[in-house]
Amino acid sequence: MGYSLPKLTKILVAGDISTGRFFLDNFKDSGFEIHFVESSMGAMQQLEDGIFQIVVADDRLSDMSGIQFLERCKTFAPDILRVLIVREGDMKVLIEAINRGGIFKILMDPLDTKEAMNALSDASLHYWTEKEHERLSNLIREQNTELVVRTINQDKEIHERTASLLNGLVAALDLRDSDTQWHSRRVSLYSRRIAKALGIKGDELSQIERGALLHDIGKIGIRDSILLKPGRLTKEEWEEMKRHPEMGYRILEGSDFLEHERIIVLHHQERYDGKGYPQGLKGKEIDIGARIFAIADTFDAMTSDRPYRKSLPFKIAREEIIRCSGTQFDPRIVEAFLSVPAHEWREIRERLEGRDLHQESQSAIKPPPITQTLITPQDNTKPRE
Ligand SMILES: [Fe+2]
């Protein structure tokens, strides 16, 4: 995009008759459009009525000094370039003009055609270059603003659509796999609380929360005859069930902003001692979100009612987690879990159940009743035969 300087520059000349004649005669074919007025009042009127790029003022105006007049011009045309004609040797005016600033050029009287032409050409080029610069800057600013707003809106929309889709998937999974009734939602909040206790902040907290919420999303790809089988799974069936972390990873692969979440999903059945699946990762090879999730998952499974047993007391669940520290769980994360007061876990559960009861009354998607025996987190670590 290059400069597009216009052909016509309008110049207003204010001064006596001889000054007027000088410009009108010498600049007739210059490409400038010269307008001449004798008084400052007439000049102000012209500035009010039309757009000029340059104003040239003789210091010998009848009603005020040229410097005063040029200062007033700013009110009518702030961008106009000002040229002052000073009588040769009039040092007082010269000094005042320099000191008061804002004057683009000073021409000496008697006027010299070449000098005047150079001054007006410079002023014209300067004016239009500034205008072009201003135009381009505004254009870039506007486009940038528009682009930023559009990007933010698009990102927001994609995130909202994906979040709503995933919530729908989790709800759909809850409907299929009745054993998980609200388990995913509790585990996601428990994981967030443990992550906070570990000092994790900001986006990572939300990623861990979402990753935990979506941990079993891959079970959507598991056939009903296996997922809902009341009895023990055969070895083959169990092998298929063990594919759910990878299936979940693949489901989330299309969403760039769920990069960390899908790693949590992929690693959520791994164990700290390397005896988990699908990759048998060990220690810190397992994503921290998945290591946190493992504790939240077991804790929730033990403290929730199951078709085959009532929920276990908090103390028992706590002891079991301590017992599995260093084998099933990362000891550092067990410490973080233990640092959270018992009443906080209860509050999270109650708050969630309260909210869900409210949602349940408004939503078509209701949690299914617990009717079948399925897999508990601990069951998941070995085949049921
Ligand atoms: Fe799982």
Side-chain angles (χ1 to χ4, degrees):
M1 204 182 297
Y3 289 123
S4 53
L5 299 182
K7 290 185 174 71
L8 191 66
T9 298
K10 285 175 77 177
I11 300 173
L12 181 66
V13 177
D16 62 16
I17 295 287
S18 64
T19 304
R21 190 162 298 132
F22 173 85
F23 281 98
L24 288 170
D25 292 349
N26 289 310
F27 291 84
K28 207 162 31 182
D29 303 316
S30 61
F32 297 131
E33 186 181 299
I34 307 286
H35 292 245
F36 168 65
V37 281
E38 280 188 85
S39 69
S40 62
M41 290 306 288
M44 301 282 188
Q45 191 60 52
Q46 289 258 5
L47 289 175
E48 223 173 333
D49 294 345
I51 293 169
F52 290 87
Q53 284 74 48
I54 302 169
V55 61
V56 181
D58 199 330
D59 194 49
R60 293 163 297 179
L61 286 173
S62 53
D63 42 3
M64 66 175 73
S65 80
I67 293 175
Q68 279 175 323
F69 165 70
L70 289 177
E71 280 197 328
R72 283 200 191 177
C73 287
K74 283 189 206 171
T75 322
F76 298 97
D79 296 337
I80 205 165
L81 290 180
R82 296 174 281 271
V83 177
L84 180 69
I85 303 167
V86 179
R87 216 177 301 171
E88 216 161 38
D90 194 344
M91 290 306 288
K92 193 171 162 259
V93 174
L94 206 56
I95 290 164
E96 196 186 356
I98 292 164
N99 288 343
R100 301 221 350 216
I103 289 169
F104 183 74
K105 287 267 179 192
I106 292 171
L107 291 174
M108 291 298 171
D109 191 15
L111 292 160
D112 175 78
T113 312
K114 199 178 164 201
E115 211 176 288
M117 177 56 97
N118 286 343
L120 295 185
S121 298
D122 280 358
S124 175
L125 186 66
H126 186 88
Y127 182 91
W128 292 116
T129 307
E130 281 291 303
K131 281 287 162 197
E132 187 65 3
H133 181 250
E134 199 179 298
R135 187 183 72 80
L136 291 175
S137 299
N138 285 339
L139 194 69
I140 290 168
R141 202 164 31 243
E142 274 168 27
Q143 285 178 343
N144 275 347
T145 311
E146 203 182 309
L147 209 64
V148 167
V149 169
R150 211 185 294 167
T151 308
I152 289 172
N153 285 344
Q154 276 175 351
D155 277 2
K156 209 174 146 215
E157 204 183 312
I158 292 168
H159 284 211
E160 278 169 5
R161 268 199 219 152
T162 312
S164 133
L165 180 76
L166 293 174
N167 275 330
L169 286 177
V170 171
L173 185 67
D174 280 350
L175 281 170
R176 272 185 83 205
D177 187 355
S178 58
D179 195 42
T180 63
Q181 186 176 228
W182 304 116
H183 165 73
S184 306
R185 286 163 172 80
R186 277 194 306 270
V187 165
S188 72
L189 293 182
Y190 290 165
S191 296
R192 185 185 176 93
R193 183 63 191 89
I194 298 170
K196 262 179 94 173
L198 276 167
I200 292 171
K201 293 188 179 79
D203 285 349
E204 203 182 349
L205 268 186
S206 307
Q207 290 160 9
I208 291 171
E209 183 181 343
R210 269 195 303 268
L213 178 72
L214 299 168
H215 70 277
D216 266 346
I217 201 80
K219 282 188 179 171
I220 280 176
I222 304 290
R223 285 177 289 148
D224 278 357
S225 59
I226 295 176
L227 187 70
L228 306 178
K229 188 177 178 181
R232 287 183 182 276
L233 299 178
T234 64
K235 197 165 185 299
E236 291 70 33
E237 286 168 340
W238 178 243
E239 285 308 314
E240 187 174 335
M241 178 62 100
K242 278 166 74 179
R243 288 173 56 215
H244 79 273
E246 282 160 310
M247 285 184 184
Y249 180 82
R250 286 216 302 276
I251 288 172
L252 304 181
E253 229 166 7
S255 303
D256 286 346
F257 73 98
L258 295 174
E259 207 173 337
H260 188 184
E261 287 85 335
R262 66 173 175 266
I263 298 291
I264 296 173
V265 169
L266 182 65
H267 290 184
H268 84 272
Q269 296 284 172
E270 301 287 357
R271 283 172 52 118
Y272 191 71
D273 56 9
K275 292 181 182 168
Y277 65 88
Q279 295 163 279
L281 299 176
K282 213 171 177 178
K284 288 190 176 173
E285 288 172 351
I286 307 163
D287 181 84
I288 188 158
R291 276 179 278 147
I292 290 171
F293 162 82
I295 296 175
D297 190 39
T298 298
F299 175 65
D300 185 62
M302 294 180 79
T303 53
S304 298
D305 285 338
R306 282 289 185 267
Y308 47 88
R309 63 149 170 79
K310 292 294 286 176
S311 64
L312 300 171
F314 172 75
K315 195 170 165 288
I316 304 289
R318 197 173 186 270
E319 279 166 10
E320 178 63 11
I321 286 166
I322 294 170
R323 193 182 66 80
C324 297
S325 177
T327 53
Q328 199 173 340
F329 308 128
D330 180 341
R332 192 170 71 94
I333 302 176
V334 170
E335 286 303 317
F337 167 78
L338 296 175
S339 74
V340 179
H343 69 90
E344 283 200 36
W345 301 118
R346 204 167 43 243
E347 279 162 17
I348 291 173
R349 174 182 279 270
E350 285 170 3
R351 197 169 63 235
L352 188 62
E353 281 168 2
R355 197 178 72 198
D356 289 341
L357 284 173
H358 174 67
Q359 281 180 351
E360 192 184 349
S361 65
Q362 296 186 340
S363 165
I365 301 171
K366 293 183 180 179
I370 299 171
T371 53
Q372 299 177 68
T373 306
L374 283 171
I375 299 164
T376 68
Q378 284 165 315
D379 291 336
N380 274 352
T381 60
K382 57 183 189 300
R384 293 176 300 167
E385 289 169 347

Tab-separated table of all heavy atoms in Angstrom, residues 215-216 219 244-245 268-269 277 293 297 380, ligand 1:
chain	number	residue	atom	x	y	z
A	215	HIS	N	-12.291	-38.090	32.277
A	215	HIS	CA	-11.366	-39.236	32.313
A	215	HIS	C	-11.895	-40.488	31.619
A	215	HIS	O	-11.178	-41.173	30.909
A	215	HIS	CB	-10.948	-39.554	33.760
A	215	HIS	CG	-12.035	-40.137	34.612
A	215	HIS	ND1	-12.977	-39.345	35.238
A	215	HIS	CD2	-12.342	-41.425	34.939
A	215	HIS	CE1	-13.800	-40.120	35.912
A	215	HIS	NE2	-13.434	-41.389	35.751
A	216	ASP	N	-13.163	-40.801	31.804
A	216	ASP	CA	-13.702	-42.044	31.235
A	216	ASP	C	-14.456	-41.830	29.931
A	216	ASP	O	-15.211	-42.719	29.511
A	216	ASP	CB	-14.624	-42.724	32.268
A	216	ASP	CG	-13.877	-43.765	33.091
A	216	ASP	OD1	-12.751	-44.137	32.679
A	216	ASP	OD2	-14.415	-44.196	34.121
A	219	LYS	N	-15.060	-44.478	27.373
A	219	LYS	CA	-15.983	-45.606	27.575
A	219	LYS	C	-17.177	-45.516	26.631
A	219	LYS	O	-17.895	-46.487	26.445
A	219	LYS	CB	-16.458	-45.649	29.030
A	219	LYS	CG	-15.415	-46.243	29.963
A	219	LYS	CD	-16.000	-46.438	31.343
A	219	LYS	CE	-14.994	-47.052	32.286
A	219	LYS	NZ	-15.492	-47.050	33.666
A	244	HIS	N	-10.116	-48.002	26.803
A	244	HIS	CA	-10.885	-46.759	26.926
A	244	HIS	C	-10.031	-45.494	27.140
A	244	HIS	O	-10.405	-44.439	26.640
A	244	HIS	CB	-12.021	-46.889	27.966
A	244	HIS	CG	-11.613	-46.772	29.387
A	244	HIS	ND1	-11.191	-47.845	30.123
A	244	HIS	CD2	-11.548	-45.698	30.214
A	244	HIS	CE1	-10.896	-47.441	31.348
A	244	HIS	NE2	-11.102	-46.133	31.428
A	245	PRO	N	-8.850	-45.565	27.813
A	245	PRO	CA	-8.056	-44.328	27.903
A	245	PRO	C	-7.595	-43.837	26.521
A	245	PRO	O	-7.630	-42.631	26.238
A	245	PRO	CB	-6.863	-44.725	28.776
A	245	PRO	CG	-7.336	-45.894	29.576
A	245	PRO	CD	-8.245	-46.629	28.653
A	268	HIS	N	-4.971	-41.811	32.859
A	268	HIS	CA	-5.730	-41.885	34.121
A	268	HIS	C	-5.789	-43.287	34.741
A	268	HIS	O	-6.137	-43.429	35.904
A	268	HIS	CB	-7.150	-41.288	33.950
A	268	HIS	CG	-8.171	-42.228	33.393
A	268	HIS	ND1	-8.374	-42.376	32.041
A	268	HIS	CD2	-9.055	-43.072	34.000
A	268	HIS	CE1	-9.338	-43.258	31.845
A	268	HIS	NE2	-9.766	-43.703	33.010
A	269	GLN	N	-5.446	-44.327	33.989
A	269	GLN	CA	-5.439	-45.667	34.589
A	269	GLN	C	-4.012	-46.147	34.875
A	269	GLN	O	-3.809	-47.304	35.241
A	269	GLN	CB	-6.152	-46.666	33.664
A	269	GLN	CG	-7.622	-46.391	33.449
A	269	GLN	CD	-8.516	-46.786	34.621
A	269	GLN	OE1	-9.690	-46.474	34.621
A	269	GLN	NE2	-7.969	-47.430	35.622
A	277	TYR	N	-2.272	-49.219	33.233
A	277	TYR	CA	-2.367	-49.372	31.778
A	277	TYR	C	-2.806	-48.053	31.172
A	277	TYR	O	-3.251	-47.177	31.911
A	277	TYR	CB	-3.341	-50.513	31.425
A	277	TYR	CG	-4.791	-50.287	31.825
A	277	TYR	CD1	-5.669	-49.625	30.965
A	277	TYR	CD2	-5.287	-50.712	33.069
A	277	TYR	CE1	-6.998	-49.414	31.336
A	277	TYR	CE2	-6.614	-50.501	33.428
A	277	TYR	CZ	-7.462	-49.844	32.563
A	277	TYR	OH	-8.763	-49.632	32.917
A	293	PHE	N	-5.516	-37.280	39.800
A	293	PHE	CA	-6.809	-37.917	39.558
A	293	PHE	C	-6.899	-39.280	40.242
A	293	PHE	O	-7.927	-39.640	40.817
A	293	PHE	CB	-7.045	-38.072	38.041
A	293	PHE	CG	-8.100	-39.067	37.704
A	293	PHE	CD1	-9.439	-38.722	37.745
A	293	PHE	CD2	-7.758	-40.384	37.394
A	293	PHE	CE1	-10.420	-39.662	37.478
A	293	PHE	CE2	-8.728	-41.326	37.124
A	293	PHE	CZ	-10.069	-40.965	37.160
A	297	ASP	N	-9.994	-40.275	42.459
A	297	ASP	CA	-10.862	-41.338	41.961
A	297	ASP	C	-11.091	-42.406	43.041
A	297	ASP	O	-12.219	-42.789	43.325
A	297	ASP	CB	-10.173	-41.946	40.720
A	297	ASP	CG	-11.084	-42.887	39.962
A	297	ASP	OD1	-12.283	-42.579	39.860
A	297	ASP	OD2	-10.592	-43.912	39.461
A	380	ASN	N	-10.651	-51.848	38.170
A	380	ASN	CA	-10.110	-51.562	36.854
A	380	ASN	C	-8.670	-52.010	36.667
A	380	ASN	O	-8.192	-52.098	35.555
A	380	ASN	CB	-10.165	-50.051	36.584
A	380	ASN	CG	-11.512	-49.660	36.016
A	380	ASN	OD1	-12.309	-50.534	35.694
A	380	ASN	ND2	-11.748	-48.379	35.892
B	1	FE	FE	-11.227	-45.276	33.549
